[in-house]
Structures are given as C-alpha cells and as structure tokens.
C-alpha cells in the first residue's frame, strides 16, 4: 500500500520570483554551462540545491533557506495540498505534455514495502545529499516515481483538475510548466485513495530516497517519515526514457568488444544510432573510438534484464571505477567529450518504460544511470519543510 500524502509546501512568492526564474534541474543533471547561467539569478533554486563553498556549503544552503522564508521569498501554504505539474516540451520533432503530482511519500520500513528501486547507488553522492538534508531540514528537490495506473483513476483525477486555471505558470530549460495547488479536502482524499493501492517504481532520485530513509532511521519522528516525490502514471503519453551514454577511457575497449561481439562499421553517428535502434539483439550497443561500430554481443554474458546497460556493466565496465565514467543522454555531447579527451563512447540502445519494469522484475537493481526519464522534474516548484 503506497504512502503518498498531501503536505504543506513552501513555494516562491510569484510577485517576488516568477516561476521560470526560480526553477533548476536536480543537482545531478546540472551541466557546467547551465550552472553558470543559473547562478546569475540570485533567487534561483540552484543556490539551495547545489550550494558552493567546500564543507561550509551545507550551512550556507541552510542559512539561505531560513533567510528566504523569513523574508517571504518562500511562503508556506496554509493547508496540506498535492501539487499537480503539467510539463509541455519538444521531443524529436513533436510536442508532448506530461502530467503528474508532487506529494509526500513515506520512507518508513512499512512504506518501503510498496517502493521498487531500480538502480544501484554510490556512497559519495549519498553522503553529500545526507549532509544537505541534515543541514537544511527540508526536501529541496523531489524524487521521480512511477505508478501503474491500469484503471486510469489517477489520470482522470489529474485531467479534471487541469480544467481549472493553474496557480502558476512559467518556462525553464525548454519546458513549459503549469502548476495547480490541490488543497480541497475532497480532491486530497480522492488522490490519496487512488494512489494507496499502487506501488511506486523509482524512476529518478535513488540517492535521495535512500538518504531520506537513513535520515528517518536517525530521526524516527513523524516529521521525518516522508520525502518530496513527483508521481507520474506509467501510461502517461508524455513519459519518455532517454538513453544514457557512457564516455569511458579508450584503452582496451575495442579489443574487448571484438572478443565478445560481432562488430559492424558504419559511416556516421546517425547511421550508428539508427542501426542500434533497429537491432534485434537486446544487448546491442554502439561504439565510438574515432570510428563508428555497431556491437552485437554473441552471448548475453550473464545479463538477464534485456537491457544493454546491464550487459555493459557486467562485461565491459566491471573493472572500471564509477568515477571514470562520464554519462550523457545527448549523443552529440558524448561524442564531443570523447573527442576532446581521447576517450571512447558506448552508445546505449533505446528503451521504453515497460522494459524498465520488466528488467527490475528480472534482476532487481540495475547499474547506475541505466535510465534517464525525460524531462526531469524541476527543482523549485515546491519545497517540503521537514520540521
């Protein structure tokens, strides 16, 4: 039984900060060029989400959080609410819209039974997020969860809510946002009832989820038993999964691929990505090391998920330290990084949402950065104070 509740959020005062000026991506999706641009806006959420300044950065974020609330930059809503988010964005030549809602999701041992993680995590980012959470005592950015809305109940409730004017609108990082605060007791009860029988597959935010569980273990109080979560029905037509390509040291990668795979040379990145998408081998991947090759493994090499990210993790990346892998969901950026540093790229085969759930059922946790659900849910729509 899922534990997803309404909560009293803290939101930007729109008369002080327009929504488009407030939002930033989650901490691990902020590339350097975007970071430089966002930091020029003094009240952007990046200053809370990704503070600067060595070990003092956590205290700096906490001080800023208190200051913004004291000055009225952030205001607490008067009643527990869900916050519906509608994102409209361009995707591969078309326009798509996705709806979901922000709520408080339980992190207690009982609540965990209805949560399905799908990616392995690393100690370093968890330590960073735990120090930030401990200092600020608020959920700054939400995790991203998926629910299987087979009967369409959640989607119908969201569609009904969208008939009313939104409470705020704005655009950030190429996405148009419309936000509704759903605080009517009838709406809250209907949404909580619709979500209760469902399980939540974590799409994004595994580190923050585990950190919140650890924080609750250290502080077993009611105010610490939930975290901020964006919940989206798996069936939403605007839900997309992007490939997360791997940029790795080039030494030995071609030789290893030649031993384990059938390789086919191609003339360009576009031709390679097209051939990769069309390949009937579920573990196929693309290789760039100055030239372009489609690699189709001769055996599944211990992989059972049907996803090439697991095959790569087991067979080409098993001995490579995680901090030597650079991830990018943009194929052109991955190749550019490789060319600039003399490295290689492993291009990942496309996947759909249903494949992720089947893979998790087959093998449990997948390698880090196995998926990139697009677009990310922005930081700064609403914050969840813990105490």
């Amino acid at each position: 039984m899922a534990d997803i509740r309404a909560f009293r959020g803290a939101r930007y005062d729109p008369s002080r900060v327009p929504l488009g000026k407030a939002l930033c991506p989650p901490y691990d999706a902020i590339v350097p060029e975007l970071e430089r641009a966002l930091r020029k806006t003094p009240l952007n959420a990046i200053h809370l989400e990704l503070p600067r300044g060595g070990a003092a950065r956590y205290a700096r974020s906490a001080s800023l959080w208190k200051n913004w609330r004291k000055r009225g930059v952030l205001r607490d809503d008067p009643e527990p609410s869900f916050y519906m988010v509608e994102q409209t964005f361009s995707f591969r030549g078309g326009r798509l819209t996705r709806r979901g809602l922000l709520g408080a999701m339980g992190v207690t041992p009982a609540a965990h039974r209805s949560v399905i993680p799908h990616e392995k995590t690393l100690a370093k980012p968890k330590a960073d997020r735990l120090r930030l959470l401990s200092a600020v005592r608020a959920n700054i950015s939400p995790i991203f969860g998926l629910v299987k809305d087979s009967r369409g109940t959640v989607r119908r409730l969201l569609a009904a809510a969208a008939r009313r004017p939104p409470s705020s609108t704005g655009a950030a990082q190429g996405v148009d946002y419309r936000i509704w605060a759903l605080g009517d007791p009838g709406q809250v009860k209907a949404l909580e009832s619709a979500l209760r029988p469902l399980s939540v597959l974590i799409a994004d935010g595994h580190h923050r989820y585990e950190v919140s569980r650890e924080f609750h273990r250290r502080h077993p109080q009611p105010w610490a038993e939930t975290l901020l979560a964006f919940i989206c029905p798996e069936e939403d037509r605007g839900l997309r999964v992007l490939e997360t390509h791997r940029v790795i040291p080039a030494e030995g990668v071609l030789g290893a691929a030649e031993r384990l795979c059938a390789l086919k040379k191609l003339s360009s990145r576009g031709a390679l990505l097209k051939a990769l998408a069309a390949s009937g081998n579920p573990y196929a991947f693309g290789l760039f090391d100055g030239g372009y090759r489609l690699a189709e493994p001769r055996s599944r090499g211990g992989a059972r998920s049907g996803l090439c990210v697991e095959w790569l993790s087991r067979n080409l990346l098993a001995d490579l330290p995680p901090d030597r892998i650079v991830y990018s969901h943009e194929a052109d950026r991955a190749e550019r990084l490789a060319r600039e540093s003399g490295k290689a790229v492993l291009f990942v085969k496309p996947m759909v949402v249903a494949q992720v759930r089947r893979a998790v059922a087959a093998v449990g946790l997948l390698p880090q950065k196995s998926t990139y659900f697009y677009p990310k849910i922005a930081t700064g729509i609403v914050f969840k104070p813990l105490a």
Side-chain angles (χ1 to χ4, degrees), residues 60-242:
R60 182 172 292 108
S61 182
S63 177
L64 199 61
W65 166 255
K66 294 175 183 176
N67 176 270
W68 285 1
R69 295 181 82 190
K70 182 178 180 180
R71 289 167 48 199
V73 173
L74 299 176
R75 300 187 303 184
D76 290 358
D77 281 333
E79 57 196 8
S81 302
F82 284 109
Y83 300 87
M84 190 174 81
V85 180
E86 184 180 271
Q87 297 168 283
T88 301
F89 55 97
S90 298
F91 186 82
R92 295 175 180 171
R95 291 286 285 175
L96 296 174
T97 295
R98 183 179 73 191
R99 287 189 188 129
L101 60 93
L102 288 158
M105 189 177 89
V107 295
T108 63
H112 180 67
R113 290 197 287 268
S114 66
V115 176
I116 307 169
H118 85 266
E119 284 187 354
K120 297 176 182 177
T121 55
L122 300 173
K124 186 176 179 180
K126 285 193 289 188
D128 167 63
R129 293 295 100 178
L130 181 58
R131 292 186 69 179
L132 184 66
L133 180 62
S134 299
V136 181
R137 298 294 179 100
N139 296 138
I140 297 170
S141 60
I143 71 165
F144 190 154
L146 302 175
V147 293
K148 198 169 184 61
D149 184 33
S150 303
R151 298 183 177 181
T153 308
V154 176
R155 281 169 290 157
R156 284 193 293 272
L157 289 169
L158 296 182
R163 297 188 189 110
R164 299 178 181 177
S167 56
S168 59
T169 62
Q173 291 83 60
V175 179
D176 294 329
Y177 284 86
R178 297 204 299 165
I179 313 298
W180 290 260
L182 309 180
D184 176 80
Q187 281 183 308
V188 168
K189 184 177 179 180
L191 285 166
E192 289 180 341
S193 297
L195 293 166
R196 191 171 297 119
L198 309 179
S199 61
V200 180
L201 173 67
I202 298 181
D204 193 17
H206 290 79
H207 292 91
R208 281 163 284 170
Y209 175 69
E210 291 192 15
V211 160
S212 289
R213 294 189 70 207
E214 174 60 25
F215 187 83
H216 178 255
R217 282 192 286 268
R218 298 183 183 189
H219 307 279
Q221 304 295 328
W223 51 265
E225 66 185 22
T226 62
L227 87 166
L228 181 61
F230 176 73
I231 304 298
C232 180
E234 285 184 22
E235 300 83 356
D236 191 291
R237 294 181 180 179
L239 185 61
R240 290 293 183 271
V241 187
L242 298 185

Side-chain angles (χ1 to χ4, degrees), residues 249-261:
E251 297 81 12
V253 66
L254 177 58
E258 287 176 332
R259 289 193 304 273
L260 298 170
C261 306

